[in-house]
Amino acid sequence: MLKLKIVSPERIEFAGEVESVKVPGTMGNFEILTDHAPIISSLQKGVVEYDGQKLDIMGGFVAVQKNEVSICVEIENP
């Protein structure tokens, strides 16, 4: 399991445990699973997916270390 925290300037969008996370990296989409290597990556406009949930973002950053995933995003306003 991964500990996922997604924050935007407005609020904490999600905090909890998930099986996997898919993010729109600037070099292409990628998936984060348990025991993923440590990484810091910028994110482009796209969709963050986790445990059946989808979140449209304008961009941001993701950091992974020791099964903890921190995502800081700008949310696309309708």
Side-chain angles (χ1 to χ4, degrees):
M1 293 292 279
L2 297 167
K3 289 184 182 179
L4 173 63
K5 187 170 187 179
I6 303 174
V7 297
S8 69
E10 292 81 27
R11 64 181 178 270
I12 296 173
E13 301 291 333
F14 178 84
E17 291 191 341
V18 298
E19 293 287 334
S20 68
V21 184
K22 293 180 184 176
V23 294
T26 51
M27 299 296 285
N29 293 350
F30 63 96
E31 184 172 17
I32 301 162
L33 300 168
T34 303
D35 296 328
H36 194 286
I39 186 174
I40 296 175
S41 177
S42 55
L43 302 176
Q44 64 183 358
K45 182 176 179 175
V47 179
V48 174
E49 296 181 50
Y50 55 95
D51 284 1
Q53 302 294 314
K54 294 184 178 184
L55 180 65
D56 292 321
I57 66 167
M58 294 298 295
F61 294 91
V62 60
V64 180
Q65 188 169 7
K66 296 181 181 175
N67 291 323
E68 292 188 11
V69 182
S70 300
I71 303 177
C72 181
V73 296
E74 183 178 344
I75 302 297
E76 186 168 355
N77 292 322

